[in-house]
Amino acid sequence: MLEERILIVEDEETLCEVLKLNLENEGYLVDIAFSAEEALKLDIKKYSLILLDIMMGEISGIRMAKILKSNIETADIPIIFCTARDSEDDMIMGLNLGADDYIIKPYTIRNVIARVKSVLRRTIKTKTEEEKQNILKVNGLQLDLEFKKCTVDGKEVKLAKKEFELLAFLIANRGKICSREQILSQVWSNEVIVLDRTIDVNITRLRSKIGSYGSCIVTRSGYGYGFSN
């Protein structure tokens, strides 16, 4: 069973059910939202790909895509537009928003599945290449472990040696809380005496230096620190 989870955002109920059935037969986990409003109430960041209709209710697919691309937690999620609007201007607008593909209705299920597989392959390949290049990346926050370089939304941010190593450790272990003991043993392993306050000071500096991504560094009193994305 594949781990990729797909969200279908489409106001045609029958079409949603057909897409869901066929994608699940391919091994994907599939959820449905019948409007952008309904979709935006979900935990969007857990999805590997979004199939998004353009012409919906108060919030169009175009507007929803803009919302997702402007949020650091959802900006990297691939989007495939599915729409009856087939003008070149509409297609260019969708792709300029950061959509990964554009499927014009009416379409065949085989075509949709082929496009989904293609986009997911590209996404997985990109992540694999980043891992091979010793790159740690969370949306627009990137650490190059070879060149010891940190960039935030494409702009380099100067970090001290321990700040860089601390951030790299937290991102490498994102999704879980690391105790002070674990952090000290990994980041300050060669130091004879290190005060707990040292970790707190470096955490504070990191939060201020990495901009909006600073909120991803979480504190759990009595337990330690973590990186949540």
Side-chain angles (χ1 to χ4, degrees), residues 150-165:
C150 173
T151 55
V152 175
D153 297 330
K155 297 181 180 180
E156 184 173 359
V157 174
K158 299 294 185 182
L159 298 181
K161 182 175 184 291
K162 290 303 180 184
E163 292 169 353
F164 185 92
E165 293 175 355

Side-chain angles (χ1 to χ4, degrees), residues 171-185:
I171 293 177
N173 291 277
R174 60 184 177 272
K176 66 180 182 180
I177 298 298
C178 301
S179 68
R180 290 176 176 271
E181 291 75 16
Q182 289 173 317
I183 294 172
L184 288 172
S185 67

Side-chain angles (χ1 to χ4, degrees), residues 130-148:
E130 288 172 353
E131 290 171 358
K132 288 180 179 178
Q133 295 168 0
N134 284 321
I135 300 292
L136 289 176
K137 183 177 180 182
V138 180
N139 299 314
L141 173 61
Q142 180 171 297
L143 294 183
D144 187 324
L145 303 182
E146 289 289 333
F147 287 91
K148 310 302 181 187

Side-chain angles (χ1 to χ4, degrees), residues 166-209:
L166 175 57
L167 183 57
F169 177 72
L170 292 176
I171 293 177
N173 291 277
R174 60 184 177 272
K176 66 180 182 180
I177 298 298
C178 301
S179 68
R180 290 176 176 271
E181 291 75 16
Q182 289 173 317
I183 294 172
L184 288 172
S185 67
Q186 293 296 318
V187 181
W188 281 273
S189 58
N190 297 323
E191 306 292 331
V192 177
I193 299 176
V194 180
L195 302 176
D196 281 353
R197 180 64 179 161
T198 302
I199 299 177
D200 300 334
V201 170
N202 278 272
I203 289 290
T204 300
R205 288 175 179 168
L206 275 177
R207 283 177 173 149
S208 66
K209 287 185 177 183

